[in-house]
């Protein structure tokens, strides 16, 4: 059983939980966060789940971020690295299907998501939902959503040629971008006309891991 420290509302934790379901891996989730708790973001006065600043946690992850996993002594942080590990160790034929080229294509899209979707998405969520209202910058959330449009258009164009990001079958490469695109939709931001992206999200919506750990709107706000 993989031990996971994180929180269900963390999009990076969602990636790992989704990957575990895809690979059929049992896991135990321990709530941990320095910024969020059961009542919301610390800027509102809410108490965080904690643990991330404790010495034992910093020995696992000196960054004090989530998620972290411990798989019988294999300790990893950074969600894309964790998803890749799960794919290689447990997900042959489900999260990964093919040789080095297939792996590289999947990693390509995972890295692209972190560079082109996540920064603006983080701003969108903080400004529209999580920050205390007086700490928000007027218009910043809407502007962040607007800045995501070119990347979403790029995704749509790619998905016009391929049913999934790394090829003909679902892979770990779909997980980060799928979670990010869904979160964008949850906030109902005006976006580009993207029928191929919408069809891809519908296909992802048929997957149990997505339904359990990404689809519910309350995991994003």
């Amino acid at each position: 059983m993989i031990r996971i420290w994180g929180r269900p509302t963390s999009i990076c934790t969602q990636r790992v939980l989704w990957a575990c379901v895809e690979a059929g891996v049992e896991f135990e989730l321990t709530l941990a966060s320095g910024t969020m708790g059961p009542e919301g973001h610390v800027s509102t006065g809410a108490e965080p789940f904690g643990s991330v600043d404790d010495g034992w946690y910093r020995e696992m992850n000196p960054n004090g971020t989530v998620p972290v996993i411990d798989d019988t002594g294999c300790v990893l942080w950074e969600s894309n690295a964790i998803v890749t590990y799960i794919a290689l160790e447990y997900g042959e034929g489900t999260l990964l299907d093919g040789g080095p080229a297939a792996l590289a294509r999947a990693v390509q899209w995972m890295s692209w998501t972190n560079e082109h979707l996540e920064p603006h998405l983080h701003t969108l969520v903080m400004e529209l939902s999580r920050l205390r209202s007086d700490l928000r910058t007027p218009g910043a959330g809407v502007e962040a959503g607007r800045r995501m449009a070119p990347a979403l258009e790029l995704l749509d164009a790619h998905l016009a040629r391929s049913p999934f990001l790394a090829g003909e079958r679902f892979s770990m490469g779909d997980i980060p971008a799928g979670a990010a695109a869904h979160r964008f939709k949850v906030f109902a931001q005006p976006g580009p006309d993207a029928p191929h992206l919408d069809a891809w999200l519908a296909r992802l919506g048929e997957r149990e891991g997505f339904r359990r750990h990404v689809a519910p709107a309350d995991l994003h706000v």
Side-chain angles (χ1 to χ4, degrees):
M1 177 181 291
I2 296 180
R3 298 189 66 192
I4 302 171
W5 287 265
R7 54 181 172 82
T9 58
S10 155
I11 200 166
C12 291
T13 304
Q14 290 172 12
R15 297 175 180 182
V16 174
L17 299 176
W18 182 2
C20 285
V21 174
E22 293 287 348
V25 178
E26 293 187 1
F27 63 86
E28 175 186 78
L29 176 63
T30 299
L31 295 175
S33 176
T35 60
M36 295 288 290
E39 303 301 320
H41 192 264
V42 293
S43 70
T44 67
E47 286 293 321
F49 292 118
S51 294
V52 297
D53 291 323
D54 294 343
W56 60 269
Y57 192 95
R58 291 288 177 139
E59 287 184 9
M60 295 194 300
N61 180 0
N63 304 288
T65 54
V66 298
V68 175
I69 70 162
D70 184 346
D71 185 22
T72 60
C74 178
V75 176
L76 290 171
W77 40 271
E78 290 298 321
S79 60
N80 281 349
I82 296 169
V83 170
T84 303
Y85 167 78
I86 293 169
L88 291 169
E89 188 72 12
Y90 302 106
E92 183 65 35
T94 55
L95 289 169
L96 191 61
D97 185 28
L103 173 64
R105 281 193 295 269
V107 171
Q108 166 185 270
W109 285 105
M110 295 164 76
S111 300
W112 178 87
T113 298
N114 279 19
E115 293 292 329
H116 297 278
L117 288 180
E118 285 299 323
H120 299 308
L121 183 65
H122 176 75
T123 300
L124 185 153
V125 172
M126 295 302 293
E127 293 289 341
L128 296 184
S129 178
R130 293 183 176 170
L131 280 176
R132 197 176 69 213
S133 59
D134 62 304
L135 297 177
R136 300 177 188 177
T137 301
V142 173
E143 175 64 13
R146 188 189 68 78
R147 288 178 178 271
M148 289 181 69
L152 296 172
E153 290 173 341
L154 187 152
L155 268 181
D156 186 68
H158 177 74
L159 290 162
R161 302 185 298 271
S162 177
F164 295 99
L165 292 185
E168 293 298 312
R169 296 181 59 182
F170 172 86
S171 77
M172 68 178 190
D174 294 287
I175 288 178
H182 176 71
R183 178 165 285 192
F184 178 86
K185 295 286 187 179
V186 166
F187 281 88
Q189 291 301 293
D193 182 34
H196 306 293
L197 184 149
D198 291 341
W200 170 65
L201 285 175
R203 289 191 291 274
L204 297 182
E206 297 173 356
R207 310 189 73 86
E208 181 184 358
F210 183 96
R211 292 198 303 267
R212 284 169 52 183
H213 298 295
V214 179
D218 61 359
L219 295 179
H220 300 276
V221 296

